[in-house]
Amino acid sequence: MAEFVREEMQKFGNKYSGERIFIIGNGPSLDDTPLDRLNSEYTIAMNNINKIYDSTDWRPSFYHVSQPTGHPEAPHKGNRDFIQENVDLGISCFLRSEFPEYDANNVHYLNVVRLHKIDVFDNIQKESVPDIPLEFLREFWSDYALIVYDYHSMYSVLQLVKYM
């Protein structure tokens, strides 16, 4: 699977260099966000973004799921209909390799390594993040074609956008 993932992901390396890619999070603030203004932009969304599809014509250019099925905050809680909906819409989907059941041209699999339970990461307080030396963070930055370091959804999405 690793070699397949590398070959599959290499086609995205620098593909959108010089372009803007907007990252769309999840949460109640999206109810008041005019996402239709992003229809002509590249966007990447994650997890349960499809919950807002009924209230907007906007759809992301890319969709990303990095949380494992057993993660306590995973949006799917065992139900993966939200992934299938994005696959069926033809959105380019970046999924953990543990979701191999999606066999479509728009599905791209990732080799994900969780950074949880690594003491230096779990003990960082949010307030201290700006003070973290860049040299430390570079150790945990992915070459997306080979491996994806994941601590939370936004962390892995930022790496994907940088790679693209």
Side-chain angles (χ1 to χ4, degrees), residues 43-96:
T43 57
I44 186 166
M46 59 202 91
N47 302 329
N48 280 335
I49 192 66
N50 60 314
K51 285 184 174 183
I52 65 161
Y53 288 171
D54 289 342
S55 62
T56 181
D57 291 331
W58 169 86
R59 297 297 181 267
S61 313
F62 309 102
Y63 175 71
H64 187 276
V65 176
S66 64
Q67 292 176 326
T69 53
H71 190 277
E73 296 173 16
H76 35 76
K77 305 285 192 250
N79 177 351
R80 299 182 187 170
D81 291 348
F82 71 99
I83 296 174
Q84 188 64 56
E85 182 173 1
N86 287 286
V87 172
D88 291 347
L89 287 169
I91 297 167
S92 290
C93 298
F94 298 93
L95 308 176
R96 296 176 65 88

